[in-house]
């Protein structure tokens, strides 16, 4: 998925938590690409903690993603939750994301393992390093070796006092580099759950050697249908990209 030989292109995956409309996605995609994003993210099927929260627009959102991707020439990342949707993802998406909640959904892992499409496997919020790697093995054992690991914060006690959603396990980066050859990227947005911490954690991820980052960006975070409080504005993302090269 990532061309690890070409260090001049640092993989930055950016975009909204959820694809809300064609126009929303186009606006965000155009801006993040100009700022330096190399992949566009956007969820069509959202794994929401509360059943009444916005669940994603489904197939039509994948079609919007595909259209925007073709128009702006930027590859896409989107989360697959149900093996029954795999054909849609083969058709419309460049990189399949397996979300943290499904890291140990073994039938889903086996399914994506049967295809050659790159897979971003997000670490479960309570998964150990071994469990994370065994989940990757489920995919690889079916024949798909195109796997990128993603540290996205783990569950600790810290949200009790400071409204942090998760805790970024920055050690996961050097640890995965010692244990595997898979690229390891960091998602600072879900790791902390607050937009004001995202730039600092992104810098930390790059400094510690992450092979890429995934960042939630929205053109109007206050009105976002999901994860607005942790989404950077277009300007904030632009400013972050301008300073990222300092660590490399
Ligand atoms: C997401 O990327 O929007 C998402 C739901 O991530 P995670 O699975 O890490 O919670
Ligand atoms: Mn999200």
């Amino acid at each position: 998925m990532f061309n690890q030989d070409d260090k001049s292109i640092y993989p930055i995956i950016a975009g909204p938590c959820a694809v809300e409309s064609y126009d929303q996605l186009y606006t965000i995609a155009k801006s993040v690409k100009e700022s330096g994003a190399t992949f566009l993210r956007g969820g069509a099927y959202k794994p929401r903690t509360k059943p009444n929260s916005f669940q994603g627009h489904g197939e039509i959102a994948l079609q919007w993603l595909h259209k925007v991707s073709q128009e702006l020439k930027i590859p896409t990342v989107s989360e697959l939750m149900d093996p029954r949707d795999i054909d849609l993802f083969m058709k419309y998406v460049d990189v399949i994301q397996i979300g943290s909640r499904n890291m140990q959904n073994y039938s889903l892992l086996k399914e994506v393992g049967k295809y050659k499409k790159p897979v971003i496997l997000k670490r479960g919020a309570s998964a150990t390093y071994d469990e994370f790697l065994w989940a990757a093995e489920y995919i690889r054992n079916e024949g798909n070796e195109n796997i990128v690991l993603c540290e996205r914060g783990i569950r600790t006690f810290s949200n009790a006092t400071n409204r942090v959603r998760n805790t970024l396990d920055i050690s996961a980066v050097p640890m995965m580099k010692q244990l595997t050859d898979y690229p390891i990227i960091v998602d600072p947005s879900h790791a902390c759950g607050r937009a004001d911490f995202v730039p600092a954690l992104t810098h930390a991820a790059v400094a510690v050697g992450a092979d890429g980052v995934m960042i939630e960006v929205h053109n109007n975070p206050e009105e976002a249908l999901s994860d607005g409080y942790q989404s950077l504005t277009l300007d904030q993302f632009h400013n972050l990209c301008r300073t990222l090269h300092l660590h490399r």
Side-chain angles (χ1 to χ4, degrees):
M1 169 189 176
F2 296 157
N3 182 356
Q4 287 175 293
D5 298 332
D6 186 354
K7 298 286 180 209
S8 67
I9 303 170
Y10 190 70
I12 300 177
I13 304 164
C17 180
V19 175
E20 297 173 9
S21 69
Y22 172 81
D23 289 346
Q24 171 244 20
L25 191 67
Y26 188 92
T27 304
I28 296 171
K30 189 164 186 305
S31 175
V32 296
K33 188 181 176 192
E34 280 165 14
S35 297
T38 55
F39 291 84
L40 173 66
R41 63 151 289 151
Y45 300 89
K46 296 304 305 174
R48 305 307 298 281
T49 306
K50 296 181 191 157
N52 294 333
S53 302
F54 175 61
Q55 303 284 310
H57 287 307
E59 181 173 348
I60 184 84
L62 290 183
Q63 291 171 359
W64 292 332
L65 196 61
H66 184 63
K67 193 160 182 259
V68 169
S69 159
Q70 304 274 297
E71 282 168 3
L72 296 177
K73 308 221 175 335
I74 182 166
T76 58
V77 179
S78 198
E79 176 168 354
L80 172 71
M81 294 208 301
D82 187 328
R84 290 170 294 188
D85 296 324
I86 191 102
D87 290 341
L88 289 175
F89 279 70
M90 288 303 139
K91 194 164 159 195
Y92 294 127
V93 172
D94 296 301
V95 180
I96 295 177
Q97 174 176 320
I98 300 295
S100 59
R101 291 162 187 79
N102 276 318
M103 189 205 83
Q104 288 177 307
N105 182 337
Y106 300 120
S107 46
L108 187 63
L109 300 178
K110 286 181 186 169
E111 189 64 23
V112 296
K114 291 183 193 144
Y115 299 80
K116 295 286 171 228
K117 219 165 261 254
V119 177
I120 293 179
L121 177 65
K122 297 187 93 174
R123 182 182 180 185
S126 302
T128 64
Y129 295 140
D130 280 343
E131 287 163 347
F132 194 13
L133 290 173
W134 289 327
E137 253 176 78
Y138 266 92
I139 300 171
R140 198 188 57 191
N141 284 353
E142 297 296 320
N144 189 350
E145 299 194 346
N146 212 341
I147 301 167
V148 174
L149 303 174
C150 179
E151 162 61 38
R152 46 75 72 201
I154 54 173
R155 182 159 286 206
T156 68
F157 50 79
S158 75
N159 66 346
T161 52
N162 53 16
R163 290 168 176 241
V164 172
R165 190 176 183 182
N166 291 296
T167 296
L168 175 58
D169 178 12
I170 203 79
S171 299
V173 176
M175 183 56 86
M176 288 301 136
K177 289 198 168 290
Q178 222 170 73
L179 296 178
T180 78
D181 286 334
Y182 298 129
I184 168 85
I185 66 170
V186 168
D187 169 353
S189 308
H190 292 86
C192 65
R194 344 180 354 162
D196 58 340
F197 284 15
V198 167
L201 295 189
T202 307
H203 282 286
V206 176
V208 82
D211 297 301
V213 289
M214 177 186 303
I215 299 170
E216 285 187 339
V217 182
H218 200 283
N219 54 332
N220 185 3
E222 280 174 20
E223 300 290 321
L225 295 181
S226 69
D227 285 352
Y229 37 86
Q230 67 191 34
S231 298
L232 297 186
T233 62
L234 302 179
D235 282 350
Q236 287 168 338
F237 178 73
H238 182 77
N239 290 336
L240 174 58
C241 287
R242 277 178 46 210
T243 56
L244 272 190
H245 66 279
L246 295 174
H247 307 288
R248 304 202 306 276

